[in-house]
Amino acid sequence: MKHIILAVIILTLSCSGAFALRPKIDYQTHYIEITDVERQDTCLRMSVILKNYPGYWVIIPKDDTFLRAQNDTVRKYKLIGAENIELNKRIWMKESGQHEGILIFEKIPSDVSVVDMLSIENNGNIETMALGINLEEEDSTPTPAMIDPETLFGATSSDVWKGLDPDRYKDIPFYKEKGKAHIKGKLHNYHPAAGYSTLNVYTENYITGSREKLTENLNPDGTFEFDLNVDYPQFSRLVIGEMPAKDVFVIPSDTVELVTTTQADYLNPQTGFRKYFGFTGRLNDATAVNLLIDTIESRYRLGEIITMCLHAKTDTLGESYDSKKERIRRAFNEIISDLPEFLGSIQVNTYVKDLLATEAIRMASMYEPSAESKRLISCNPLTISTGYQFKYNPNSIILKDSTSTHENGKCFLHQLQAVNALLETIEVRTLHDRESLDQTKQNVSEMVSQITYPALNQALLSAYSELAEDVVLEEHDLNNNSEYTRLNVDKEADVLEELIKPYPGNLIYIDFWALWCASCRQGMIDQKKVIEHFAGQPFKVLYVSDDANIAGSNQWLEKKKIPGEHIFISSENWKRISEYFNFNYIPFGVLIGKDGKLIKTHFYLDHPNADKEIERHLMD
């Protein structure tokens, strides 16, 4: 979590009264909101709200915060005091996530009408807090117009909902390989000086196990527009700068238009922790789901039910465990009985209603499912659209202890898990040779004969075809261009020094990984764009793994065209380097300076603003 450093010392200044103005402001960070300013005879008083997550803090630097006349690097006006803010000390955020106070600056001449609020960080860089603070023009900008979810409700629905029937989706008709969803929108109160210029969108295909991170540029006015690769409707995580904005539902061929702001509201997750987050444009299925999902969660208090479930398992005080479980079951039954009437009043089609019902049932029965809720979730292909990660949770209470015919290998989620396991084997454990190809063919054939969902079978056949192509390329020596180093390090030598020795004068990123680690592999794929961005500069990327499976690892590196230096070390040296950095998990990344000294551990190229940190150290 980034903590803004602003400035402060408690001073009591006597300033004569003046008219207070809520100024028009071009941009202000998530961590401070300027609510009004007063020009006075001896000073300028600025009312502010400091913001952060509850339990986090904000600091206002003592001597390095100032106002500067816009487009004028000479005329600066120092922060000389504050009220209800202790300057230069951590101000801890309570449950509100806000702390109100007043900052007092030197008097600003009448010929200066617009100022920027800045501070100087410890490294000498200027931190932008607010730009374009107009001392004469009052803010009259209205909240942008957005579609009101209430407009979707009516006395009768054009599509009567008769209940959730998973068999409607047994052919997974919504699955469209190489589909594209369109996203456009605007981030209000944005300015390029904010410290970020991109947004990231994360998508995942639960059938193939693939994940994708898309990085798109923000225009200087805060607008953005792009296509997103998705094979089926799903919630995709939108991250703007360092801040997760919201999970946005997208559908191939649909356009989602959204509007939000840099201004934060840390107590409102339904707005992505922003003052507002809404949707505009033409109403389609994707937009309808986005508009209604928060309505579903708030109507049935789904967050409260999940919290109740967690407390029921850990809380030894108050109600008994059995009593709490009964309350949870009762709440779930109330949802099931209410859904037909509620969804029947919404002017959307059955598909959208089924998605909403799936999400409501999934969340309400996550920890204490009934036999009926297990069927409605585990046999329902729509669960991959709501984003529940069953493939990573084989012991899910909905899947384990299955007794019915539907839940004993024939339901969707059980088949999905079986397909995921075989696809993982094809991806990273199958060598590109005839023997492994024949074994894979047999495994795929047996699996296809058991799978009843066409989209799952198609994923298996596509993976087998890709493997067969790789085998042919290997046999004709057309796919053997990879280069790697097998580094032998003497027992008395320093492993880290030996790793970086060939790259003197370079900034070095080391990523410790293994072929069996799915998040390692995905991270390496996500990092390719960053590596390409710094091509030709004194920056080296070292992917380091132990030498237990060099052949398989090397084939995967070549297949995915992972750039960088690929180095394999012995298990003994792997143990030595992991003890040196004290890590027992991967991926694990470190950044080494051009002088060979460690800059940072737990550093990852695919994290937001990693490129900016690299640029800063390249300039050192």
Side-chain angles (χ1 to χ4, degrees):
M1 172 58 62
K2 176 182 176 185
H3 299 292
I4 293 260
I5 299 184
L6 302 173
V8 140
I9 191 170
I10 295 184
L11 274 194
T12 303
L13 296 180
S14 175
C15 297
S16 59
F19 175 71
L21 172 85
R22 183 178 183 92
K24 181 180 182 299
I25 301 172
D26 290 339
Y27 166 80
Q28 49 194 320
T29 67
H30 291 287
Y31 300 90
I32 186 169
E33 179 182 351
I34 301 168
T35 56
D36 62 58
V37 295
E38 292 182 45
R39 284 184 187 263
Q40 299 198 342
D41 294 338
T42 58
C43 62
L44 183 135
R45 293 168 60 87
M46 180 180 291
S47 298
V48 299
I49 302 175
L50 307 182
K51 300 179 175 183
N52 210 332
Y53 292 110
Y56 288 81
W57 48 266
V58 175
I59 292 182
I60 305 202
K62 178 181 178 181
D63 300 316
D64 295 325
T65 298
F66 57 92
L67 299 177
R68 185 174 69 188
Q70 195 168 64
N71 302 321
D72 186 340
T73 59
V74 177
R75 304 173 76 178
K76 299 179 181 178
Y77 308 95
K78 296 179 180 178
L79 176 67
I80 58 176
E83 295 177 7
N84 198 39
I85 296 175
E86 285 194 77
L87 299 173
N88 224 29
K89 291 189 177 181
R90 292 183 179 183
I91 301 167
W92 294 92
M93 298 295 112
K94 299 186 178 178
E95 289 186 7
S96 67
Q98 301 183 355
H99 181 93
E100 296 186 23
I102 294 176
L103 301 179
I104 304 171
F105 293 86
E106 293 177 321
K107 180 181 178 180
I108 296 181
S110 59
D111 64 325
V112 175
S113 59
V114 181
V115 295
D116 298 328
M117 185 177 176
L118 310 167
S119 69
I120 301 175
E121 296 181 306
N122 293 334
N123 59 16
N125 293 334
I126 291 182
E127 174 80 27
T128 299
M129 287 181 264
L131 297 173
I133 307 169
N134 198 305
L135 304 179
E136 297 175 355
E137 183 179 349
E138 189 165 8
D139 184 17
S140 58
T141 306
T143 300
M146 295 174 278
I147 301 175
D148 185 352
E150 292 298 321
T151 61
L152 298 176
F153 291 84
T156 58
S157 173
S158 57
D159 196 347
V160 177
W161 193 72
K162 298 179 180 179
L164 179 59
D165 180 8
D167 286 343
R168 271 198 284 267
Y169 304 98
K170 61 184 179 182
D171 292 333
I172 315 184
F174 50 82
Y175 193 87
K176 299 178 181 179
E177 285 188 287
K178 299 181 180 180
K180 290 186 181 296
H182 193 66
I183 298 180
K184 63 186 297 187
K186 181 167 185 177
L187 176 64
H188 285 271
N189 308 105
Y190 170 75
H191 194 283
Y196 58 86
S197 58
T198 62
L199 56 80
N200 295 311
V201 188
Y202 296 84
T203 61
E204 185 152 6
N205 185 321
Y206 289 122
I207 291 180
T208 64
S210 62
R211 181 172 65 87
E212 184 173 347
K213 171 189 174 186
L214 177 69
T215 300
E216 285 292 330
N217 292 324
L218 284 165
N219 295 321
D221 63 352
T223 58
F224 50 88
E225 185 169 2
F226 54 89
D227 285 327
L228 186 64
N229 296 324
V230 285
D231 295 321
Y232 58 82
Q234 62 182 266
F235 284 100
S236 301
R237 172 59 53 93
L238 179 65
V239 178
I240 300 175
E242 295 180 340
M243 298 289 294
K246 196 172 173 65
D247 288 346
V248 177
F249 194 78
V250 295
I251 296 178
S253 302
D254 271 6
T255 296
V256 173
E257 297 185 43
L258 58 91
V259 60
T260 185
T261 176
T262 63
Q263 296 177 346
D265 180 357
Y266 289 114
L267 295 183
N268 195 346
Q270 289 189 344
T271 60
F273 303 105
R274 282 164 166 74
K275 278 206 161 180
Y276 56 83
F277 192 108
F279 298 87
T280 61
R282 188 176 67 86
L283 184 62
N284 52 32
D285 287 352
T287 302
V289 173
N290 283 302
L291 290 169
L292 293 167
I293 196 67
D294 289 338
T295 303
I296 282 280
E297 293 185 8
S298 60
R299 178 182 179 89
Y300 297 121
R301 305 185 305 280
L302 297 178
E304 295 178 25
I305 292 176
I306 292 176
T307 300
M308 193 190 311
C309 292
L310 294 173
H311 287 175
K313 296 181 180 295
T314 59
D315 189 4
T316 58
L317 302 176
E319 290 181 83
S320 68
Y321 178 49
D322 289 340
S323 176
K324 286 185 177 179
K325 285 203 299 185
E326 182 56 36
R327 286 180 59 200
I328 294 167
R329 292 193 189 99
R330 191 163 57 247
F332 171 75
N333 289 333
E334 290 173 357
I335 292 173
I336 293 295
S337 61
D338 181 70
L339 276 172
E341 180 179 353
F342 174 67
L343 294 177
S345 66
I346 306 177
Q347 304 293 324
V348 292
N349 60 40
T350 295
Y351 170 68
V352 173
K353 294 177 181 181
D354 285 346
L355 278 169
L356 296 172
T358 298
E359 178 68 358
I361 295 170
R362 179 188 70 80
M363 291 187 68
S365 60
M366 191 178 297
Y367 295 98
E368 293 295 337
S370 64
E372 176 63 6
S373 65
K374 285 183 180 181
R375 185 187 72 83
L376 291 174
I377 296 301
S378 61
C379 299
N380 185 357
L382 290 180
T383 52
I384 62 173
S385 290
T386 61
Y388 195 61
Q389 301 182 33
F390 286 100
K391 65 174 274 191
Y392 301 120
N393 186 15
N395 293 319
S396 165
I397 193 167
I398 289 183
L399 292 181
K400 69 181 182 179
D401 299 328
S402 300
T403 56
S404 72
T405 301
H406 280 292
E407 294 174 329
N408 191 17
K410 294 189 176 181
C411 76
F412 173 73
L413 290 177
H414 277 287
Q415 293 190 21
L416 176 63
Q417 285 186 313
V419 169
N420 287 159
L422 183 51
L423 288 174
E424 176 75 1
T425 299
I426 296 173
E427 171 75 2
V428 301
R429 294 185 178 87
T430 304
L431 294 178
H432 303 168
D433 57 38
R434 284 288 171 180
E435 183 179 354
S436 63
L437 182 62
D438 291 342
Q439 182 61 55
T440 300
K441 181 179 180 180
Q442 180 180 342
N443 294 340
V444 169
S445 297
E446 291 176 356
M447 182 72 73
V448 167
S449 67
Q450 301 170 27
I451 299 300
T452 59
Y453 292 89
L456 300 185
N457 279 328
Q458 182 57 49
L460 288 171
L461 295 173
S462 295
Y464 172 75
S465 298
E466 188 175 339
L467 177 62
E469 181 180 340
D470 289 339
V471 170
V472 172
L473 292 174
E474 290 287 340
E475 289 180 340
H476 291 81
D477 200 27
L478 299 175
N479 197 30
N480 190 22
N481 301 315
S482 57
E483 297 182 2
Y484 67 88
T485 299
R486 188 168 188 172
L487 185 66
N488 294 313
V489 183
D490 187 87
K491 291 182 179 180
E492 304 301 322
D494 184 293
V495 180
L496 179 61
E497 287 184 5
E498 294 298 313
L499 283 171
I500 66 176
K501 185 190 296 184
Y503 316 103
N506 284 275
L507 183 68
I508 300 172
Y509 168 67
I510 306 178
D511 188 321
F512 297 96
W513 75 288
L515 185 61
W516 53 262
C517 170
S519 56
C520 296
R521 300 195 309 269
Q522 187 61 53
M524 295 164 77
I525 293 171
D526 291 342
Q527 293 166 8
K528 289 199 290 186
K529 286 186 178 180
V530 181
I531 298 173
E532 293 168 1
H533 176 74
F534 290 102
Q537 300 192 48
F539 175 60
K540 292 291 183 180
V541 175
L542 280 54
Y543 289 113
V544 179
S545 183
D546 70 23
D547 59 4
N549 186 5
I550 292 180
S553 298
N554 203 41
Q555 285 185 349
W556 183 85
L557 291 168
E558 173 59 28
K559 179 180 178 181
K560 298 299 181 181
K561 302 190 183 305
I562 304 297
E565 309 295 323
H566 304 302
I567 303 171
F568 296 92
I569 59 178
S570 67
S571 297
E572 180 182 345
N573 285 323
W574 178 273
K575 181 180 179 182
R576 290 170 62 194
I577 196 71
S578 63
E579 289 175 347
Y580 178 84
F581 285 116
N582 191 30
F583 70 84
N584 56 10
Y585 59 87
I586 50 177
F588 183 82
V590 299
L591 189 64
I592 308 292
K594 290 187 287 185
D595 58 0
K597 295 181 180 179
L598 177 66
I599 294 174
K600 180 181 286 190
T601 60
H602 304 87
F603 180 83
Y604 304 96
L605 285 189
D606 55 331
H607 280 197
N609 289 336
D611 55 341
K612 296 187 182 299
E613 187 157 1
I614 292 170
E615 288 172 353
R616 185 166 71 249
H617 291 297
L618 284 174
M619 295 173 62
D620 292 343

